[in-house]
Amino acid sequence: MMNMSMSTTATEVPPLSVLRRSVPKATIKAVRCSIGNHPSTVRISGLDTGGSGPVDTVVVGGGISGLCIAQALATKHAHAAPNVIVTEARDRVGGNITTVQGDGYLWEEGPNSFQPSDAMLSMIVDSGLKDDLVLGDPNAPRFVLWGGRLRPVPSKPGDLPFFDLMSFGGKLRAGFGALGLRPPPPGHEESVEEFVRRNLGNEVFERLIEPFCSGVYAGDPSKLSMKAAFGKVWNLEQNGGSIIGGTFKAIQERNRAPKPPRDPRLPKPKGQTVGSFRKGLTMLPDAISARLGSKVKVSWKLSSISKLDSGEYNLTYETPEGLVSLLSKSVVMTVPSHAASTLLRPLSTAAADSLSKFYYPPVAAVSISYPKDAIRSECLIDGELKGFGQLHPRSQGVETLGTIYSSSLFPNRAPSGRVLLLNYIGGATNPGILSKSKDELIEAVDRDLRKILIKPNAKEPYALGVRVWPQAIPQFLIGHLDVLDAAKAALSDTGLKGLFLGGNYVSGVALGRCVEGAYEIAAEVADFLLQYARK
């Protein structure tokens, strides 16, 4: 998770001759000098253009959301925002996307994959990564641990009568509930657990949705908001009176208003699959950063932001070259909500208070490898470990949230004769992982896998990496959307027009939703800048 330093200690500015080597002379609008150790500030405007006015937009945060917002502005709205700057406090871009290589392995220590939606594919093509895209087998099974055994999850409607994860009675209850034969909505915002139990029954919740919430949010479904976390499904009942009724209504509306022709540049994935890149997910932020070039500023730590009487924003950064003050017409904050809360408190106490309410539980990504012959024979398909991975309901007596079969999902992730497994542990129901050492986390994961997937007498695993994210995934709890709306309203009420909130706590936690949200926010920024230009 990208944590921003809040240091307020001024850094001494180097001689002006040094600054001129890294900043074109025409971009230096004003220099306030000092003697001795008193702080100095270089104010820069028209950065990278040689102009004398403010930049159009500063995107604070160089994670995937911030980079994709900048890329969307460059590709879709260049007429409105020709001069965009992305600033990142750390010395690299990508946020919690972390790909590592070594000893013949390639593994992820943050997100593992993405859904190849058209928005994501557009970002990939615009980033020049079309030929590096790798897609998983759409027929790769997904498993849920239930009753001491891994059971496949249905991947298409035709599988529903035959899969053994649920009983016949549970399937019947789910079918009738989806048709609308279930209790009516209660009149208050439902948790995921309440919504699913009411609509689809206990078995769907306990054996499918609860482990899915653990896998996606590392969350507690008794506290997650159905409306906020799974809004598309929630809307089906709202719009159609039932899940099936809403589905048919959505199909009818889509047929009445067909989408514009699909971009012919985009690949056409087959079936329900997931994607990555030849050298891992980090290829995407690296490619976007390379395309944006000098518009991306790493090791720039935002220390303060203010609104000027002229309507512009003044952002002061600690940089390797000293303190830099940057003027901008608009700002997009894509840092985690707790970092945004601290930075925005001088501007709006109400907005800061709202942003401080979002909860990010800890999650650890544990990457380990076993020889292929360590896999239990009953878990093999045609003699191989095949599939996307497995999820573990909290009721099944294991601590690990789930396991991704990384070497089965994408090519060239492990040496011949080895399997690579990415395991997630922690989350909202197990924050105690923060008190465990890396060795203890590896032992916990290995212990769980030997109950399910790995032969009990197999050799010790080869541990590749353990990455603990103390504040990993924002939880879309009951009231999440109200809190987010309150933060946005507080910014507007304080007169902070042109200051936008972005990131996964706004758009959604999945990588694909971050990209879709980036296009949406870029459009909002472009609309604001066009109005700004008409003033």
Side-chain angles (χ1 to χ4, degrees):
M1 186 60 64
M2 180 177 61
N3 293 314
M4 294 200 54
S5 169
M6 298 303 157
S7 171
T8 57
T9 303
T11 304
E12 187 176 357
V13 176
L16 188 57
S17 59
V18 175
L19 283 168
R20 284 192 174 125
R21 286 200 292 270
S22 59
V23 181
K25 182 177 180 180
T27 68
I28 299 176
K29 182 178 180 181
V31 179
R32 180 166 55 82
C33 298
S34 64
I35 299 175
N37 292 322
H38 294 282
S40 300
T41 301
V42 175
R43 172 166 291 180
I44 303 178
S45 56
L47 198 64
D48 293 329
T49 65
S52 59
V55 298
D56 296 305
T57 302
V58 172
V59 180
V60 181
I64 196 63
S65 293
L67 290 171
C68 288
I69 289 168
Q71 169 111 316
L73 287 169
T75 57
K76 306 292 184 184
H77 309 285
H79 61 291
N83 192 7
V84 178
I85 300 297
V86 180
T87 63
E88 167 56 45
R90 298 196 298 186
D91 62 0
R92 69 169 185 90
V93 296
N96 58 358
I97 293 178
T98 308
T99 306
V100 187
Q101 295 186 64
D103 295 340
Y105 294 90
L106 187 150
W107 68 96
E108 303 287 354
E109 295 190 341
N112 173 76
S113 58
F114 54 81
Q115 297 288 331
S117 64
D118 279 1
M120 174 62 83
L121 293 172
S122 294
M123 190 63 64
I124 290 168
V125 170
D126 288 341
S127 303
L129 292 178
K130 181 177 181 179
D131 293 339
D132 293 290
L133 175 67
V134 293
L135 297 171
D137 180 359
N139 298 315
R142 293 161 168 80
F143 300 96
V144 168
L145 174 66
W146 192 262
R149 188 159 62 88
L150 292 175
R151 302 171 189 268
V153 174
S155 59
K156 53 185 182 296
D159 296 339
L160 293 174
F162 307 106
F163 78 105
D164 68 350
L165 180 59
M166 289 173 56
S167 68
F168 177 76
K171 296 173 188 177
L172 207 60
R173 167 65 177 87
F176 282 131
L179 288 168
L181 299 176
R182 83 292 182 248
H188 63 260
E189 185 176 358
E190 287 182 286
S191 69
V192 171
E193 180 175 359
E194 290 173 320
F195 180 93
V196 176
R197 288 190 188 274
R198 179 175 61 81
N199 274 280
L200 301 174
N202 294 336
E203 286 192 21
V204 170
F205 171 73
E206 293 164 1
R207 306 183 189 191
L208 284 170
I209 303 305
E210 189 270 339
F212 182 76
C213 286
S214 294
V216 175
Y217 281 92
D220 180 348
S222 69
K223 298 178 181 179
L224 289 173
S225 162
M226 187 68 193
K227 180 180 179 181
F230 302 105
K232 289 183 179 179
V233 178
W234 181 84
N235 277 321
L236 293 177
E237 183 185 31
Q238 295 295 308
N239 296 335
S242 68
I243 292 175
I244 295 295
T247 301
F248 280 124
K249 187 173 182 180
I251 293 172
Q252 291 172 345
E253 292 175 352
R254 188 162 59 244
N255 291 337
R256 283 196 297 267
K259 292 182 179 180
R262 188 170 185 266
D263 187 339
R265 304 175 304 154
L266 304 187
K268 295 181 180 179
K270 296 179 180 179
Q272 294 294 317
T273 185
V274 295
S276 182
F277 302 100
R278 182 173 49 86
K279 293 185 178 180
L281 290 180
T282 194
M283 289 190 75
L284 182 58
D286 286 351
I288 295 174
S289 179
R291 294 231 160 189
L292 293 172
S294 60
K295 295 178 182 294
V296 177
K297 309 296 181 183
V298 296
S299 299
W300 276 39
K301 298 179 181 180
L302 181 59
S303 57
S304 68
I305 178 172
S306 60
K307 182 76 177 288
L308 305 181
D309 293 340
S310 60
E312 299 158 357
Y313 290 90
N314 183 67
L315 300 92
T316 301
Y317 290 89
E318 298 173 29
T319 81
E321 289 78 31
L323 289 184
V324 171
S325 181
L326 182 61
L327 296 179
S328 182
K329 300 173 187 174
S330 61
V331 177
V332 186
M333 302 291 292
T334 69
V335 295
S337 60
H338 44 86
S341 173
T342 301
L343 288 164
L344 296 178
R345 185 164 295 280
L347 292 175
S348 171
T349 302
D353 287 346
S354 293
L355 290 170
S356 69
K357 294 178 181 178
F358 297 122
Y359 172 52
Y360 293 66
V363 175
V366 180
S367 297
I368 54 180
S369 173
Y370 298 88
K372 283 187 175 181
D373 60 15
I375 305 297
R376 296 186 182 212
S377 58
E378 65 267 26
C379 298
L380 299 175
I381 301 174
D382 299 327
E384 299 286 340
L385 178 65
K386 295 183 178 180
F388 179 88
Q390 59 194 51
L391 293 172
H392 310 146
R394 300 296 82 207
S395 62
Q396 297 305 291
V398 294
E399 188 176 2
T400 311
L401 297 170
T403 299
I404 306 295
Y405 304 162
S406 299
S407 53
S408 302
L409 191 58
F410 300 122
N412 304 316
R413 299 297 165 110
S416 177
R418 306 286 300 187
V419 295
L420 173 62
L421 304 175
L422 169 57
N423 309 270
Y424 294 104
I425 186 170
T429 60
N430 185 19
I433 64 159
L434 288 176
S435 64
K436 291 188 176 183
S437 68
K438 291 186 176 182
D439 286 342
E440 288 173 331
L441 291 172
I442 293 169
E443 290 171 6
V445 168
D446 178 59
R447 182 170 58 249
D448 286 345
L449 288 175
R450 290 175 190 270
K451 298 176 183 177
I452 310 164
L453 185 69
I454 301 298
K455 294 175 182 177
N457 61 348
K459 292 181 179 179
E460 292 298 307
Y462 176 41
L464 291 156
V466 178
R467 175 62 67 95
V468 178
W469 302 95
Q471 294 174 294
I473 302 171
Q475 300 297 287
F476 282 42
L477 304 178
I478 291 174
H480 179 94
L481 296 179
D482 293 335
V483 175
L484 182 59
D485 286 343
K488 292 179 178 179
L491 293 177
S492 178
D493 293 345
T494 315
L496 299 173
K497 306 294 185 182
L499 200 161
F500 300 87
L501 301 176
N504 57 3
Y505 73 94
V506 177
S507 61
V509 301
L511 189 56
R513 268 304 302 153
C514 290
V515 174
E516 292 167 7
Y519 281 109
E520 294 163 4
I521 293 171
E524 294 178 24
V525 173
D527 287 343
F528 168 79
L529 289 171
L530 290 173
Q531 296 174 15
Y532 186 99
R534 288 194 289 267
K535 289 181 179 179

